[in-house]
Amino acid sequence: MTEILRISQLSITPAHAPERKLVNQVSLTLARGKTTCIVGESGSGKSLTALSIMKLLSPQLRMQGQIFFEGQDISHYDETAMQHLRGQKMGMIFQEPMTSLNPVLTIGFQIGEPLQTHLGLKGAALKQKVAALLDQVGIDPNRANSYPDELSGGQRQRVMIAMSIACEPALLIADEPTTALDVTVQAQVLQLLNALKDRMHMAMLFITHDFGVVADIADEVIVMFRGEIVESGSVAQVLHSPQHPYTRALLACVPDAEGKKVLQPMTYDWLTPN
Ligand SMILES: Nc1ncnc2c1ncn2[C@@H]1O[C@H](COP(=O)(O)OP(=O)(O)OP(=O)(O)O)[C@@H](O)[C@H]1O
């Protein structure tokens, strides 16, 4: 296993309330060519964990712990050092591409930006690489001059994917990238991410609350509850023999064969009182 990222004892608290642990003592390792899914209900600390890797936490939050990226401790990197990593060595895609895409710039220009900034590409070489990236994510390269609002939701997410993989990052973080898409488009985007991860041999950290998605793409699974990891293991272990009552309760919410959600009342009697 080639380690790409290791988080050691990550804790995140509001600056004004250091006793309130939003993320508590989280440790995890991501390997090259593998997809690790973080699952958990809303507010369990999934996004904060992902944002802390990129050092994109709100200034109102404080982070403790260490983050190693390709063997380097990046916990104390300043903004300039992080800008060098972001978009080049680490890519990130979010649930809603319109919040990240600029509506007044063409998609070709936006896909080209990281290539200019990090790799110094310009002119014909830049145009050629943008066309190749569009093709790679399943968009006709002739659409490079389109604006984001001329595309469907699924196509916009494909543009975001093209931007995030443009410099062939070692790590791709995907925070609920398919939640806003309809089921068919969701399956296509998952398939695309999986294929790109394999082709480029990236480590992928994929955040979701959907065990159907986990079953489709995960190698490893981490279950978070109230800021802590309650269970982790291979996808087979966690999905087929979950050890923790919270994981079992989450799994019980997965829709059955007819698509009906079988909600089980969740009890928290396994929680130890603080
Ligand atoms: N800037 C902030 N200041 C204070 N609390 C915050 C801040 N950002 C997030 N939180 C809190 O931290 C907790 C974890 O948030 P996080 O966004 O990581 O959850 P999540 O598991 O990703 O949820 P979701 O699936 O809804 O995105 C939540 O209780 C949230 O309200």
Side-chain angles (χ1 to χ4, degrees), residues 24-95:
N24 193 16
Q25 303 277 311
V26 161
S27 297
L28 59 90
T29 302
L30 304 180
R32 187 176 285 286
K34 300 278 180 209
T35 298
T36 301
C37 280
I38 305 187
V39 276
E41 64 193 311
S42 186
S44 54
K46 307 182 296 293
S47 295
L48 290 185
T49 302
L51 288 171
S52 66
I53 297 171
M54 294 249 180
K55 289 229 178 161
L56 289 174
L57 285 175
S58 137
Q60 286 112 41
L61 298 175
R62 293 288 172 273
M63 179 193 124
Q64 280 186 320
Q66 282 178 301
I67 299 177
F68 297 89
F69 180 70
E70 293 188 319
Q72 299 286 319
D73 184 355
I74 62 166
S75 326
H76 304 292
Y77 272 26
D78 62 12
E79 181 54 21
T80 313
M82 285 311 296
Q83 276 176 7
H84 183 70
L85 286 183
R86 282 187 222 125
Q88 183 177 16
K89 299 261 189 172
M90 299 175 173
M92 186 154 187
I93 48 176
F94 301 94
Q95 181 172 332

Side-chain angles (χ1 to χ4, degrees), residues 97-98 101 148-160:
M98 269 321 245
L101 290 172
D149 67 358
E150 294 169 340
L151 304 179
S152 69
Q155 285 172 325
R156 285 199 282 262
Q157 199 54 290
R158 286 171 188 268
V159 170
M160 278 307 302

Side-chain angles (χ1 to χ4, degrees), residues 211 215 221 231 234-243 247-248 251:
F211 270 108
V221 185
E231 178 159 6
S234 71
V235 66
Q237 273 166 0
V238 175
L239 294 195
H240 300 303
S241 44
Q243 299 300 303
T247 314
R248 289 201 281 268
L251 278 164

